[in-house]
Structure formats: structure tokens, C-alpha cells
Amino acid sequence: MEKDCGVKEYKILFVCLGNICRSPAAEEVMRVLLAKEGLGDAVKVDSAGLIAYHEGELPDSRMRMHAYLRGYSLSHRSRPIRKSDFKDFDMIIGMDSNNVEDLTELAPDDESRSRVFKMTRFLQTKRADSVPDPYYGGTEGFELVLDLLEDSCSGLLAFVRQRLSCR
């Protein structure tokens, strides 16, 4: 049963460089958490990349495989971030400091910049400065990304609950 959080919809956009590893994984981890908590109608998630190089592609096959082994299904098609995203989303979350810096520069105004966050801000039990790009690494890199995303999405859920005044 969906919970009434006093708002019609809250929107979160996850962003990494190419939108084929970290941000689509974050989108799906958060989507699963929201569904389990009955918040799937109240909170919408999406992901995008800072570059359009992979536009229209599915997430990296290695990321899909590692996510699948944890019960996630990554079917998002890569898209680049758009100026309108800064107005359409309540939060825009970069995976590392470079992503956050680029997003801050792309933001059209101070209000938009205030919507930019770093994913690791929401870590609860793990310690990391960023969610590292696993693209050029091995198995361990993809597993680490999923570990960090599961932890930080749990923290993000708590943060969003406070913003929505959900109990």
C-alpha cells in the first residue's frame, strides 16, 4: 500500500559520466527500496549522464550481471542530462566530486545548484569519498559500487522521508 506523504511526487535524478554503470544502478537500487517501502508512487527516480556518448544504450553488461545477482534488473537506456532536469528534479545526485562539480557548473541558477548532492553524502555504514567508476576495473569494482549504492540509497531514503514528512 502506498503511503500519503503530503506531496504528489518527489523526483530524484542520479548522474554519472556516461549513464551506463553507476547512475542506472543507483536508479534501480533506489527504485527497489522505494517499492519495498510503499513509496514508489510518491518518489520517482531516473538517471542521466554528463556525456551523450552512450545515449540509447543499456547499462554496461558487467554492471547488469552484478546487479542481477543481487536481484536488480537494469533496463534504463542511457541519456544525457538536460537543462530541464534542473527544474524537473528535486534532487540531482552525482556519483563523485567531478560529477558534482560538472553538475554545479551546468546548473542555470542558485536554486538549481542547491539541488545538487554527492551520493556518498548519504552513506550510513560504509566510508568512501565517491562511488568510483568501475568501467575499467574488474569484478571487485562493480561489487564495490553496488555495496556503496545499497548503503547510500538507504541513507537517501531516510533523507527523503524527512523531506516528505513520511513516517
Side-chain angles (χ1 to χ4, degrees):
M1 178 174 202
E2 296 294 318
K3 296 178 182 167
D4 180 7
C5 297
V7 295
K8 289 190 188 262
E9 191 174 74
Y10 194 80
K11 294 168 77 174
I12 302 169
L13 181 67
F14 297 98
V15 179
C16 67
L17 185 61
N19 192 215
I20 60 167
C21 290
R22 299 171 289 172
S23 57
E27 174 188 351
E28 182 62 12
V29 169
M30 192 66 181
R31 184 183 328 280
V32 168
L33 271 177
L34 291 165
K36 284 180 183 175
E37 294 294 317
L39 293 171
D41 287 342
V43 182
K44 300 298 179 191
V45 292
D46 193 5
S47 63
L50 288 161
I51 60 172
Y53 182 77
H54 297 286
E55 187 170 4
E57 293 179 20
L58 284 169
D60 180 277
S61 61
R62 299 164 296 170
M63 187 81 252
R64 290 195 325 263
M65 180 197 64
H66 287 277
Y68 175 79
L69 293 173
R70 292 188 187 207
Y72 303 111
S73 177
L74 305 185
S75 60
H76 173 85
R77 296 283 180 164
S78 176
R79 73 166 180 90
I81 192 161
R82 302 180 286 258
K83 286 279 187 197
S84 61
D85 289 333
F86 289 95
K87 297 292 182 208
D88 295 341
F89 288 88
D90 300 290
M91 296 179 77
I92 299 177
I93 303 176
M95 297 295 125
D96 61 38
S97 296
N98 289 336
N99 298 158
V100 170
E101 184 177 313
D102 290 345
L103 288 166
T104 302
E105 288 176 15
L106 287 171
D109 52 40
D110 287 341
E111 181 182 342
S112 299
R113 281 186 280 284
S114 73
R115 298 173 186 207
V116 176
F117 297 85
K118 190 175 182 183
M119 191 73 201
T120 51
R121 170 185 176 167
F122 304 103
L123 285 171
Q124 293 186 309
T125 62
K126 302 206 176 298
R127 292 269 191 238
D129 183 54
S130 68
V131 178
D133 190 344
Y135 189 79
Y136 295 106
T139 297
E140 308 82 30
F142 291 95
E143 289 297 318
L144 174 61
V145 165
L146 288 167
D147 288 344
L148 293 172
L149 291 177
E150 288 175 340
D151 188 39
S152 56
C153 282
S154 291
L156 177 58
L157 177 61
F159 181 84
V160 168
R161 276 186 178 282
Q162 287 181 332
R163 290 205 162 182
L164 296 175
S165 299
C166 292
R167 297 185 206 286

